[in-house]
Amino acid sequence: MKLKVFLWTVLLPSVAWLTAGCSAIDDDLSDCGEEKKELQLDYQLRLVTNMTTELQTQLTTVTELGVASSLETHLENIFSDHAHDIDLTFYDTEGTLDSLYHKRDIIDANQTSYTLTLPMRKYMHLAVANIAENTVVSLENVAHSNTSRLQQVEGTVSDGSPVRIIDSHTTGLFTARQPMEVLSGVSQTFNVRLFMANSAVALVLNPKGHNYTDLKVYATGFASQFNISDSVYVYPAESPLITAEKVETDNDLLCYCTVNFPSRDVLTRAPASSLWQLKVYMTNADGSTTETVLDIQEPLKAGELKIIKGDVDDEGAIRPYNSTVGVSVTLDWQEGGTYHPNL
């Protein structure tokens, strides 16, 4: 389902370029022999998501509808029609691929305007929205177009386990790549569309009256890096555990949610049994911990929300409703004693 969220009509202001000499762009290029040209760029942030459909089809009972409302509120700043900030970079494609101009700005609105004057040449323009306040993902290596990327933090190692743990992404990230050629004597407008680069997972559980003292939920098996210029995700050799945040509901159902990069589309190697996983650790009233690993075969794509539902049984194990979801349960689980496969 495609939702056209909002339109930025952006005329970028004349600014000094960050490099020096005749490769730079500034207010006076007469010494460099380059003719400047004013142009317009229209930016459109497009939210292409299945979130509404997923909420409406997966959470349908009267009790589940309350969870759907809570989950939608929890994700309102992720699947959002509001851009807090933008990061714009223009690269020289006729030589070094170096960054010629890099601008950051705070928007906090649906529309804003700038003006831009560029020398006539071919460019690759990369744009990123909502990166400034994301504490888990950063924009790195912007000096060259082919190295500019969104990079997820590595995370920390928990006691007794070699697996790294990180927090969920804190903003919905949007990116665009736009080849441009600035021509002489022509009135030009470039339309730049930004699309979502991350996604979300939710686990909804019916505790069925089971008595427990603690519950931790993690998701794993996702990309850790996104190369902006070629729109390619990079997957680590060992995927970190992404900590799910508890979503407060108005009933007995439990809901936990992560925001992360997408999964692979297909399995790439054995012995991996799934594209991504949910790992649930329930500390029971008797002090024992039950580990449930849910293996999901359906890919998680950019801009998507996936909801997995299940019951908690008498031993604290998760029993998913979807028969295609694989289940592996370890009773009396001890941290550090379980092998976590590479995905």
Side-chain angles (χ1 to χ4, degrees), residues 18-94:
L18 302 182
T19 55
C22 290
S23 63
I25 298 177
D26 52 34
D27 290 335
D28 183 5
L29 293 178
S30 57
D31 293 338
C32 298
E34 292 193 79
E35 181 182 345
K36 295 184 295 182
K37 181 71 173 62
E38 186 176 287
L39 63 150
Q40 174 175 314
L41 289 92
D42 293 335
Y43 290 84
Q44 188 176 20
L45 192 69
R46 291 185 61 86
L47 181 59
V48 182
T49 179
N50 72 331
M51 185 179 72
T52 300
T53 301
E54 187 76 354
L55 290 171
Q56 291 177 348
T57 58
Q58 295 299 318
L59 303 175
T60 58
T61 69
V62 173
T63 306
E64 289 175 346
L65 289 176
V67 177
S69 178
S70 298
L71 183 56
E72 187 173 22
T73 299
H74 180 78
L75 292 171
E76 64 183 0
N77 292 327
I78 304 299
F79 298 96
S80 174
D81 63 353
H82 188 89
H84 170 68
D85 55 271
I86 54 173
D87 191 295
L88 308 175
T89 314
F90 295 81
Y91 297 90
D92 176 17
T93 62
E94 296 180 335

Side-chain angles (χ1 to χ4, degrees), residues 119-135:
M120 293 178 298
R121 64 170 69 181
K122 294 181 180 179
Y123 299 92
M124 172 59 74
H125 172 38
L126 302 183
V128 178
N130 290 336
I131 189 63
E133 294 188 343
N134 197 308
T135 59

Side-chain angles (χ1 to χ4, degrees), residues 25-328:
I25 298 177
D26 52 34
D27 290 335
D28 183 5
L29 293 178
S30 57
D31 293 338
C32 298
E34 292 193 79
E35 181 182 345
K36 295 184 295 182
K37 181 71 173 62
E38 186 176 287
L39 63 150
Q40 174 175 314
L41 289 92
D42 293 335
Y43 290 84
Q44 188 176 20
L45 192 69
R46 291 185 61 86
L47 181 59
V48 182
T49 179
N50 72 331
M51 185 179 72
T52 300
T53 301
E54 187 76 354
L55 290 171
Q56 291 177 348
T57 58
Q58 295 299 318
L59 303 175
T60 58
T61 69
V62 173
T63 306
E64 289 175 346
L65 289 176
V67 177
S69 178
S70 298
L71 183 56
E72 187 173 22
T73 299
H74 180 78
L75 292 171
E76 64 183 0
N77 292 327
I78 304 299
F79 298 96
S80 174
D81 63 353
H82 188 89
H84 170 68
D85 55 271
I86 54 173
D87 191 295
L88 308 175
T89 314
F90 295 81
Y91 297 90
D92 176 17
T93 62
E94 296 180 335
T96 63
L97 303 180
D98 287 348
S99 169
L100 296 181
Y101 172 58
H102 182 202
K103 176 181 177 60
R104 300 183 183 96
D105 196 18
I106 302 300
I107 299 175
D108 281 331
N110 287 350
Q111 295 182 349
T112 188
S113 296
Y114 304 93
T115 55
L116 175 64
T117 302
L118 292 176
M120 293 178 298
R121 64 170 69 181
K122 294 181 180 179
Y123 299 92
M124 172 59 74
H125 172 38
L126 302 183
V128 178
N130 290 336
I131 189 63
E133 294 188 343
N134 197 308
T135 59
V136 180
V137 180
S138 58
L139 178 60
E140 297 187 358
N141 291 5
V142 297
H144 306 283
S145 65
N146 57 357
T147 60
S148 181
R149 67 175 186 259
L150 298 179
Q151 181 65 56
Q152 186 175 268
V153 298
E154 289 188 0
T156 57
V157 178
S158 63
D159 294 339
S161 171
V163 180
R164 293 186 175 274
I165 298 177
I166 67 173
D167 293 331
S168 291
H169 298 183
T170 53
T171 63
L173 299 169
F174 291 79
T175 69
R177 60 222 49 85
Q178 177 73 47
M180 297 170 48
E181 183 175 5
V182 180
L183 303 173
S184 176
V186 179
S187 178
Q188 293 179 272
T189 298
F190 295 92
N191 297 310
V192 183
R193 293 182 174 91
L194 294 92
F195 292 90
M196 196 170 182
N198 48 2
S199 48
V201 172
L203 177 66
V204 178
L205 299 175
N206 186 341
K208 307 288 283 188
H210 180 71
N211 193 9
Y212 67 97
T213 60
D214 191 30
L215 179 60
K216 292 183 174 65
V217 178
Y218 303 94
T220 187
F222 309 110
S224 61
Q225 177 181 314
F226 179 65
N227 296 332
I228 301 172
S229 64
D230 54 9
S231 192
V232 170
Y233 290 95
V234 178
Y235 298 84
E238 294 188 12
S239 297
L241 298 180
I242 299 174
T243 304
E245 298 179 356
K246 185 177 182 179
V247 179
E248 297 298 333
T249 65
D250 60 359
N251 52 57
D252 292 336
L253 293 182
L254 304 173
C255 182
Y256 288 79
C257 182
T258 67
V259 179
N260 38 260
F261 283 131
S263 72
R264 289 184 172 90
D265 289 333
V266 294
L267 290 175
T268 57
R269 64 172 182 265
S273 59
S274 59
L275 292 174
W276 54 282
Q277 295 177 330
L278 285 167
K279 297 188 176 186
V280 185
Y281 299 88
M282 178 162 283
T283 303
N284 304 300
D286 63 3
S288 66
T289 298
T290 300
E291 179 197 54
T292 305
V293 179
L294 302 178
D295 290 315
I296 292 89
Q297 302 290 341
E298 185 178 0
L300 177 69
K301 299 181 179 180
E304 286 190 341
L305 166 67
K306 293 293 184 184
I307 299 173
I308 306 297
K309 299 192 299 181
D311 289 337
V312 179
D313 69 13
D314 293 339
E315 296 177 311
I318 309 305
R319 303 301 176 185
Y321 297 165
N322 189 335
S323 60
T324 66
V325 175
V327 184
S328 175

